[in-house]
Amino acid sequence: MKKLLIASTSTVHGKDYLEYILPELSEFFKGIHEILFIPYARPGGITYDEYTAIAQKGFDKINLKVRGIHEFKNHFGAVNSAKGIFTGGGNTFLLLKKLYEMKLISSIKNVVENGTPYFGTSAGSNITGLTIQNTNDMPIVYPPSFDAFGFINFNLNPHYLDPDPTSTHMGETRETRINEFHTLNKIPVLGLREGSWLNVKGDKVLLKGELNARLFQKTKSPSELPPETDLSYLMKL
Amino acid sequence: MKKLLIASTSTVHGKDYLEYILPELSEFFKGIHEILFIPYARPGGITYDEYTAIAQKGFDKINLKVRGIHEFKNHFGAVNSAKGIFTGGGNTFLLLKKLYEMKLISSIKNVVENGTPYFGTSAGSNITGLTIQNTNDMPIVYPPSFDAFGFINFNLNPHYLDPDPTSTHMGETRETRINEFHTLNKIPVLGLREGSWLNVKGDKVLLKGELNARLFQKTKSPSELPPETDLSYLMKL
């Protein structure tokens, strides 16, 4: 049975990296001593080693060892023997392109579908949806496809932002962008605010954290969903 | 000799569509009675006809007739006989995909390189750069490439937004996103604030409007460029 924690962000304002979600992570990775870190979305200017060290620092607080996939000679072997997987944030286009290049899409998909716990933040969460078409990221590289893992049967918009009523900026709001997506696509999109996450067990999906999420569906008005909302029905659409 | 007006936005806060740039447009399209409108970036929910009507309303004030490319049976003929071209904003991925599908990239490129005046706003400006990799838009469709017209020898980030120092949002700022682009690409990126535009004549590029633009180059600190800055040197890099 697949098990995922799909978080909007790694960090909420005023707290350390992963701090806000450590109690949940501790429970999620219970009994596991080491997880595999996928640093491929790494933001500019730091190495995979440095990014892995940041992840390690976050997980130190719950005594979990983190090893970057780049440390392994055989990355397929690393995935297959991993007890848990964490994919960090950065740029979603870059992450997806690298996963395709490394031919890791099907191997990660396979282990996660078969029960290896998967934790993602931001870009690492975007790729758990059907496609990355609702990312906020800049298309700094061209991936061979926008299709992603599809562990959930909908798409995510992490770091969801409400329109600022005082803004004089004429660029599209997040809601406008997602509505435009729905003029051409029917995949539901869940706007996950920073501090929210999804807990997925098989086809059961629960909204966690203290904030509402905003659900966008083609031909429907957006709806505000409170914490603990059961989103499992989206897996069957 | 190519002639382009490349605008950050169609509309600035508190003014009507195109209003802020009408004096420049009047000069740019002087002696021309009708221009061809490319509505393919159209934002959700309106038809090409409706979008063309919006453009027409903007150009009514300078007595310029606007015809949508979708009104022509032969869209290549429409491009080849156009006295001027305007590509409106919307979604850059959608616009570029449609231009590829209609095989219009080379025909528009050809007439513009040979002197047909081209005016773009937002998405219509993004595609005048080398690639669309610095768009702010959501990747709601998958274009066959990110390569664009390359009328200018750099990329644009329209609707450029400065970081908000009071924000508690953890998503990347525009500057961070562009810096990440430069960890992987060396194309210069010009952040054009709303109300700014470029006037291009051959290889001469001038920054117009009342605001500074922000230039990002790989391995250099970003620089603030005042109005009337001559950017022609970027065409030779």
Side-chain angles (χ1 to χ4, degrees):
Chain A
M1 188 182 71
K2 65 187 169 193
K3 293 184 288 250
L4 297 95
L5 282 190
I6 303 173
S8 176
T9 184
S10 61
T11 315
V12 297
H13 184 73
K15 294 204 174 183
D16 286 341
Y17 185 78
L18 299 181
E19 186 181 352
Y20 78 100
I21 199 171
L22 282 176
E24 183 90 4
L25 285 171
S26 179
E27 182 64 28
F28 185 69
F29 287 126
K30 201 172 190 166
I32 295 173
H33 302 290
E34 180 177 305
I35 57 172
L36 183 69
F37 179 56
I38 316 278
Y40 294 148
R42 71 154 181 218
I46 61 168
T47 64
Y48 290 153
D49 276 343
E50 286 164 341
Y51 195 16
T52 305
I54 292 170
Q56 179 63 72
K57 199 173 163 194
F59 277 101
D60 270 346
K61 294 164 189 162
I62 56 170
N63 297 311
L64 205 51
K65 163 97 179 129
V66 174
R67 282 190 71 187
I69 191 169
H70 63 288
E71 300 170 34
F72 292 83
K73 273 189 188 155
N74 179 344
H75 56 283
F76 297 117
V79 167
N80 290 333
S81 60
K83 301 298 181 203
I85 295 175
F86 169 37
T87 305
N91 184 284
T92 307
F93 295 89
L94 183 58
L95 171 60
L96 191 64
K97 180 166 186 269
K98 188 83 182 178
L99 288 173
Y100 275 109
E101 280 171 3
M102 304 290 280
K103 303 190 188 311
L104 279 168
I105 298 283
S106 58
S107 52
I108 293 176
K109 192 162 178 161
N110 185 47
V111 299
V112 174
E113 293 287 359
N114 284 293
T116 304
Y118 177 100
F119 169 50
T121 58
S122 196
S125 292
N126 260 322
I127 57 170
T128 67
L130 290 171
T131 76
I132 64 159
Q133 288 173 284
N134 302 100
T135 175
N136 311 308
D137 293 339
M138 216 173 241
I140 62 175
V141 294
Y142 184 72
S145 166
F146 287 163
D147 292 345
F149 286 128
F151 295 134
I152 50 175
N153 200 26
F154 49 98
N155 278 358
L156 293 171
N157 180 253
H159 302 280
Y160 183 76
L161 260 186
D162 293 289
D164 172 2
T166 67
S167 174
T168 59
H169 187 70
M170 304 302 286
E172 295 88 351
T173 65
R174 200 65 67 79
E175 176 155 336
T176 301
R177 293 168 196 275
I178 296 171
N179 287 336
E180 287 177 13
F181 173 74
H182 278 143
T183 63
L184 297 158
N185 302 277
K186 62 182 182 183
I187 300 172
V189 180
L190 187 69
L192 265 188
R193 295 183 174 93
E194 293 178 347
S196 292
W197 67 92
L198 300 178
N199 188 323
V200 180
K201 283 182 191 158
D203 280 344
K204 190 164 172 68
V205 183
L206 273 185
L207 174 63
K208 306 295 285 186
E210 293 173 11
L211 302 170
N212 288 354
R214 192 163 178 86
L215 178 64
F216 299 86
Q217 290 178 278
K218 190 180 172 87
T219 75
K220 290 190 183 178
S221 296
S223 52
E224 284 289 319
L225 310 176
E228 302 300 327
T229 296
D230 187 338
L231 291 159
S232 308
Y233 69 99
L234 290 176
M235 301 293 267
K236 292 162 201 135
L237 291 183
Chain B
M1 188 180 72
K2 66 187 168 192
K3 292 184 290 254
L4 297 95
L5 283 190
I6 302 172
S8 175
T9 183
S10 61
T11 314
V12 296
H13 184 72
K15 295 206 175 182
D16 287 340
Y17 185 78
L18 298 182
E19 187 182 350
Y20 78 99
I21 199 171
L22 282 176
E24 183 92 3
L25 286 171
S26 180
E27 182 65 28
F28 185 69
F29 287 127
K30 202 172 191 170
I32 294 173
H33 302 291
E34 182 177 303
I35 57 172
L36 183 70
F37 180 56
I38 315 279
Y40 295 147
R42 74 159 178 213
I46 61 169
T47 64
Y48 291 154
D49 276 343
E50 287 164 340
Y51 195 16
T52 305
I54 292 170
Q56 180 63 72
K57 200 175 162 193
F59 276 102
D60 271 346
K61 292 165 190 163
I62 54 169
N63 297 309
L64 205 53
K65 164 96 178 127
V66 173
R67 284 189 71 188
I69 193 168
H70 63 288
E71 300 171 35
F72 292 83
K73 274 188 186 156
N74 179 345
H75 56 282
F76 297 118
V79 167
N80 289 333
S81 61
K83 301 300 179 199
I85 295 174
F86 168 37
T87 306
N91 184 284
T92 307
F93 294 90
L94 184 57
L95 171 60
L96 190 65
K97 180 166 188 269
K98 189 81 180 178
L99 289 173
Y100 275 108
E101 279 171 4
M102 305 289 281
K103 303 193 188 307
L104 279 168
I105 299 283
S106 59
S107 52
I108 294 175
K109 191 160 180 165
N110 186 46
V111 299
V112 174
E113 294 287 1
N114 284 292
T116 303
Y118 178 101
F119 169 50
T121 59
S122 196
S125 293
N126 260 323
I127 57 170
T128 67
L130 290 172
T131 76
I132 64 160
Q133 287 173 286
N134 302 99
T135 177
N136 312 307
D137 293 339
M138 217 173 238
I140 62 175
V141 294
Y142 184 72
S145 166
F146 287 162
D147 292 345
F149 286 127
F151 294 135
I152 50 175
N153 201 25
F154 49 98
N155 279 358
L156 293 172
N157 181 256
H159 302 280
Y160 184 76
L161 262 186
D162 294 289
D164 172 2
T166 67
S167 174
T168 58
H169 187 71
M170 305 303 284
E172 295 88 350
T173 66
R174 200 67 64 79
E175 177 155 335
T176 302
R177 292 166 197 275
I178 297 171
N179 287 337
E180 286 177 13
F181 172 75
H182 278 144
T183 62
L184 298 158
N185 302 276
K186 61 182 183 184
I187 299 172
V189 180
L190 187 68
L192 265 188
R193 295 183 174 93
E194 293 179 345
S196 293
W197 66 92
L198 299 178
N199 188 323
V200 180
K201 284 181 189 158
D203 278 344
K204 188 162 173 70
V205 183
L206 272 185
L207 174 63
K208 306 294 285 186
E210 293 173 10
L211 302 170
N212 288 354
R214 193 164 177 86
L215 178 64
F216 299 86
Q217 290 178 277
K218 189 178 172 89
T219 72
K220 291 189 182 178
S221 296
S223 52
E224 284 289 320
L225 309 176
E228 302 299 328
T229 296
D230 186 339
L231 291 160
S232 309
Y233 69 99
L234 290 177
M235 300 294 265
K236 292 164 202 139
L237 291 182

